[in-house]
Amino acid sequence: MTKGDRTRIIPRRTPESAAMVAEVKRAMAITARINHLTYDDAAEVRALFSELIGQTVDDSFFLIPPFYATGGGNTRVGHHVFVNQNCTFYDLGGLDIGDDVMIGPNVSLITSGHPVEPSQRRAGVTASPIVIENNVWIAAGVTIIGGVTIGENAVIAAGSVVTRDVPPNTLAGGNPARVIRSIGAA
């Protein structure tokens, strides 16, 4: 399901897993503060999101609460990024969001999971990056799993589940998402 060369495993009961749990607690405290804000509190949302990811986001960044995250330190966000309400970002594997990206409501970007083998499932957490290149539109209700790159100018249709790379300048949709057609470059 993910690309093995980009997947790492974090075993339970290790310093790395303890750091992961601490990051989840930190992120949940910050997102709880974000979720007390409204549409009109854009500057405060930007400040708290900047605290979450550990770097200042551009004034063009706009996020509508509620928002959920289990981390933040592995997230990079470009300029002119819009995140609609009720989105979930799990960034353990790394989450790279380019410039001019629009993310619809109820989108989940999930870079972590568990081993598939039953005997290994509780032994640790897997983590694989998600890369969303410039000028991508992710429509409502999309789920993107770790190990995936969404190419520049691509559109992901509402309700899709993205389990593999999407080429630039394409419309992809379905479960699992597949390229539907090419679209014109911006």
Side-chain angles (χ1 to χ4, degrees):
M1 204 153 63
T2 59
K3 296 175 181 174
D5 59 329
R6 298 190 330 178
T7 299
R8 63 188 173 102
I9 297 176
I10 300 158
R12 289 180 64 194
R13 298 181 185 96
T14 64
E16 190 176 15
S17 68
M20 177 183 68
V21 170
E23 176 68 358
V24 169
K25 289 179 182 179
R26 184 190 76 83
M28 290 184 77
I30 295 169
T31 57
R33 291 168 47 208
I34 289 172
N35 292 337
H36 279 59
L37 301 174
T38 68
Y39 184 94
D40 293 327
D41 299 317
E44 193 169 350
V45 168
R46 269 192 305 279
L48 286 169
F49 191 85
S50 294
E51 181 181 339
L52 179 72
I53 69 169
Q55 57 187 309
T56 302
V57 294
D58 189 76
D59 285 345
S60 64
F61 176 82
F62 194 80
L63 180 146
I64 302 173
F67 171 78
Y68 305 95
T70 61
N74 296 317
T75 297
R76 187 200 73 76
V77 176
H79 300 285
H80 304 283
V81 171
F82 171 72
V83 180
N84 211 322
Q85 61 190 358
N86 209 39
C87 289
T88 301
F89 291 5
Y90 284 17
D91 77 335
L92 183 63
L95 183 54
D96 189 354
I97 301 171
D99 297 335
D100 302 304
V101 171
M102 298 186 305
I103 299 174
N106 301 307
V107 168
S108 295
L109 306 177
I110 310 296
T111 68
S112 57
H114 295 276
V116 174
E117 291 298 320
S119 65
Q120 297 299 309
R121 202 166 294 152
R122 294 185 184 272
V125 175
T126 60
S128 301
I130 293 173
V131 176
I132 300 169
E133 295 181 350
N134 295 339
N135 203 37
V136 167
W137 173 25
I138 302 169
V142 169
T143 298
I144 301 173
I145 64 146
V148 168
T149 296
I150 309 295
E152 188 169 7
N153 300 316
V155 176
I156 309 301
S160 298
V161 177
V162 183
T163 62
R164 64 181 143 231
D165 291 352
V166 174
N169 304 306
T170 59
L171 168 65
N175 181 2
R178 299 184 191 290
V179 172
I180 296 169
R181 65 180 173 89
S182 293
I183 56 176

